Amino acid sequence: MGVSEPVPVTLGAVSGSLPPSWYAVAPGPWGPIHVAARGDAIVAIELLTPTPSFVASLERRLKRPVIAASDPRTVAPSTTRGLLERAWAELAEYLGGRRRTLDLPIDLVGLSPWDRLVLDGVRGIPYGSVTSYGRLAGLIGRPGAARAVGGAVGRNPIGIVIPCHRVIARDGGLGGYGGDWYGTRERLLEVKRGLLELEGVEIPARDLVG
């Protein structure tokens, strides 16, 4: 498994009062992978989502323009260009089974304090481990809030780096995946199962963190 080399990155600035964010897209094992950055942080990673839907959703969240990294009419900060290139390199290594942690700076801009709390807990789930929504609620100090935790996990805007695929149903089954991402439930669960298999997790899982 692995992603192909990303399209050549030519980043840039646009007119307007707000500085833009930048995205690049490359084919992955299950379909397109979009990565977006703002300044020196990753703000979105989505699988399967068509480009127009990815851009529209991100512009609503960030309240600023989102521009293709491959747009030849623009020129962008070198920090953002370097970050996108680094993100692609780490994703390719992870999907190729050569990396266990993605050490990318992220920014959960636009998310509520609750979503940030839950997703911070998700990011602490180790490679090759899984937990349930209920156990995750306990891990973040909110026992009994499994349903609310599930909602926050479904709103995760930075897939893989924030490994929401490691949160499963309490019976060891897959549960859900992708939240508002594009695709059928069956297709999204295929991606989730593939990511867990990559990490050596068998479903139904027997050992849950927490």
Side-chain angles (χ1 to χ4, degrees):
M1 288 170 46
V3 296
S4 66
E5 290 299 313
V7 294
V9 177
T10 305
L11 300 172
V14 295
S15 59
S17 58
L18 292 175
S21 295
W22 306 92
Y23 77 90
V25 58
W30 303 279
I33 300 176
H34 288 80
V35 179
R38 186 180 75 164
D40 59 357
I42 298 296
V43 293
I45 297 177
E46 288 190 19
L47 290 72
L48 303 181
T49 307
T51 295
S53 299
F54 176 79
V55 171
S57 174
L58 193 55
E59 286 185 337
R60 286 194 299 270
R61 178 180 147 221
L62 300 181
K63 298 179 172 57
R64 65 185 62 222
V66 176
I67 303 173
S70 56
D71 190 334
R73 300 167 296 177
T74 60
V75 183
S78 60
T79 53
T80 306
R81 180 174 62 249
L83 180 57
L84 283 172
E85 292 170 348
R86 175 183 162 193
W88 282 121
E90 292 198 11
L91 283 168
E93 290 173 358
Y94 168 80
L95 292 170
R98 302 185 303 277
R99 172 181 283 271
R100 292 194 166 201
T101 59
L102 289 92
D103 303 313
L104 298 168
I106 63 171
D107 186 352
L108 293 174
V109 56
L111 271 65
S112 70
W114 169 253
D115 286 359
R116 290 169 181 261
L117 174 67
V118 172
L119 295 179
D120 185 58
V122 173
R123 204 174 189 192
I125 304 169
Y127 181 99
S129 300
V130 290
T131 193
S132 68
Y133 300 97
R135 292 190 182 208
L136 178 58
L139 288 170
I140 64 171
R142 300 292 192 276
R147 185 178 296 274
V149 162
V153 170
R155 291 187 289 272
N156 176 20
I158 309 178
I160 300 180
V161 174
I162 299 177
C164 53
H165 59 277
R166 296 175 192 159
V167 186
I168 63 174
R170 65 180 179 179
D171 63 359
L174 284 173
Y177 188 60
D180 294 332
W181 290 4
Y182 184 86
T184 64
R185 173 180 169 81
E186 291 75 16
R187 185 72 172 126
L188 289 166
L189 289 181
E190 178 186 345
V191 174
K192 183 173 186 176
R193 183 183 296 275
L195 291 171
L196 291 173
E197 288 177 349
L198 173 67
E199 298 184 8
V201 176
E202 295 184 0
I203 296 296
R206 299 183 183 278
D207 298 318
L208 279 65
V209 173

